[in-house]
Amino acid sequence: MESVLPHRAARFLGDARRVVIFTGAGISAESGVPTFRDDLTGLWARFDVQRLATPEAFHADPDLVWGWYEWRRRRVRRAEPNPGHLAIATIEARVPGSTVITQNVDDLHERAGTGAVIHLHGSLFAPRCVTVAAHPATFQDPQDGDAVELHEGRRIPPPRCASCAALVRPGVVWFGEALPEAALTAAVEAAATCDVLLTVGTSGVVYPAAEIPRIAARSGATVIQVNPEPTPLDQVCAINLRGTAAQVLPALVAAAWEATAER
Ligand code: BV8
């Protein structure tokens, strides 16, 4: 594995016909959105996420869990896509056979211009009725200047479903819940048939999503990792780019298409 920005990575990317970009919380870190496991900023460092990101937690204390997600949603609303998100949108635009798969529940890939995003763990912006998922559920976006500055741990009663008056829950996949079947099937299919998989900003420890880069490697794809830290995915990567998404991805994309243009 190489640990600097090698032209080999740029050539693999520039030559690839089918590219999968697989992202985790690290892609949004430089947008100011906390990751889960980073020591200082990670949500897990400050919360027992197993106490918050589970159906049991919501059942036990819906106001605490809904308040936590509202706090996170408002942070995402205030965040902007970073150069890493924009570089991924460039790859999607340049490679017709590309697929963007994210574990994240924010909308920063979409706001950076990526057209189609497979969300394996749902979205902060798709609340749903806790009883009947198909019941339409909306929630009041904070108005500009909303004086309510949410702080972590602030309890907010969830809205009620307009169709059946049951609680509305965040539209994310909690621990112990199955991933959306269509999203997981599409992600596995893309990983099993790609030439290159670029894994960015994930610790690779949450399953079954963490299988995606491993499926690509087993299928003969070149797996390139972008992460400032070592992860369990180091073992399946052909190339390891030790750096942050906003630093590495723009340089990698520029080199990939400069390299192609020179040929
Ligand atoms: C399920 C949504 C079964 C909510 C999340 C084996 C197989 C299947 C399941 C399991 C298994 N082993 C264990 C399990 C159970 C469990 C699991 O994986 N547990 C782990 C902790 C061991 N999995 C589940 O429960 C899954 N469900 O299996 O159901 C089932 C089947 C059928 C029917 C019923 C049930 C559900 C898992 C999904 C949980 N939901 N989130 C929310 O957001 O609140 S998980 C959560 O972790 C996030 O979604 C996140 O995406 C995910 C992974 O975290 P990362 O994205 O990797 O983020 P992290 O902070 O860890 O790492 C950030 C990385 O970025 C770091 O490496 C850092 O170095 C790097 N970084 C930092 N800054 C930058 C950077 N990189 C680049 N640039 C930077 N600037």
Side-chain angles (χ1 to χ4, degrees):
M1 282 176 297
E2 303 170 38
S3 59
V4 290
L5 179 56
H7 289 290
R8 202 160 65 90
R11 285 191 74 105
F12 275 120
L13 182 59
D15 289 344
R17 291 289 162 268
R18 289 164 301 180
V19 176
V20 167
I21 302 108
F22 177 70
T23 64
I27 184 71
S28 299
E30 285 154 294
S31 296
V33 179
T35 63
F36 287 85
R37 294 170 187 82
D38 285 332
D39 298 347
L40 296 180
T41 58
L43 293 170
W44 297 46
R46 304 203 306 279
F47 292 94
D48 170 0
V49 176
Q50 301 285 359
R51 199 166 66 85
L52 288 164
T54 64
E56 297 76 17
F58 185 73
H59 181 71
D61 193 340
D63 297 9
L64 177 68
V65 174
W66 183 261
W68 186 53
Y69 281 93
E70 274 300 284
W71 171 72
R72 288 175 59 191
R73 198 165 63 82
R74 293 188 188 195
R75 286 197 66 153
V76 169
R77 268 273 181 270
R78 286 202 299 264
E80 291 297 328
N82 65 59
H85 293 107
L86 297 169
I88 288 171
T90 301
I91 296 172
E92 190 208 32
R94 279 188 175 271
V95 183
S98 56
T99 306
V100 178
I101 303 167
T102 190
Q103 300 169 89
N104 298 343
V105 292
D106 65 47
D107 61 350
L108 294 175
H109 279 304
E110 290 86 347
R111 286 164 58 196
T114 297
V117 182
I118 295 175
H119 279 269
L120 292 178
H121 293 158
S123 168
L124 285 170
F125 301 95
R128 60 179 172 81
C129 171
V130 73
T131 307
V132 178
H135 281 173
T138 55
F139 52 110
Q140 206 54 43
D141 245 349
Q143 305 311 315
D144 289 346
D146 183 339
V148 174
E149 177 50 43
L150 287 192
H151 56 78
E152 302 168 16
R154 185 171 186 277
R155 289 176 189 284
I156 302 178
R160 289 278 171 176
C161 171
S163 308
C164 69
L167 289 177
V168 169
R169 57 162 282 177
V172 301
V173 178
W174 280 324
F175 287 101
E177 293 187 320
L179 275 60
E181 190 176 342
L184 185 56
T185 302
V188 168
E189 171 64 19
T193 56
C194 67
D195 309 316
V196 168
L197 183 140
L198 192 56
T199 172
V200 183
T202 183
S203 56
V205 298
V206 173
Y207 285 85
E211 275 297 331
I212 295 300
R214 295 171 168 91
I215 289 168
R218 285 197 296 269
S219 306
T222 301
V223 179
I224 301 169
Q225 179 173 229
V226 177
N227 196 318
E229 303 294 332
T231 75
L233 291 173
D234 288 19
Q235 298 152 23
V236 298
C237 296
I239 301 176
N240 240 331
L241 305 179
R242 282 274 183 268
T244 71
Q247 290 165 351
V248 171
L249 289 176
L252 178 64
V253 167
W257 277 283
E258 270 161 24
T260 310
E262 282 158 9
R263 286 203 294 279

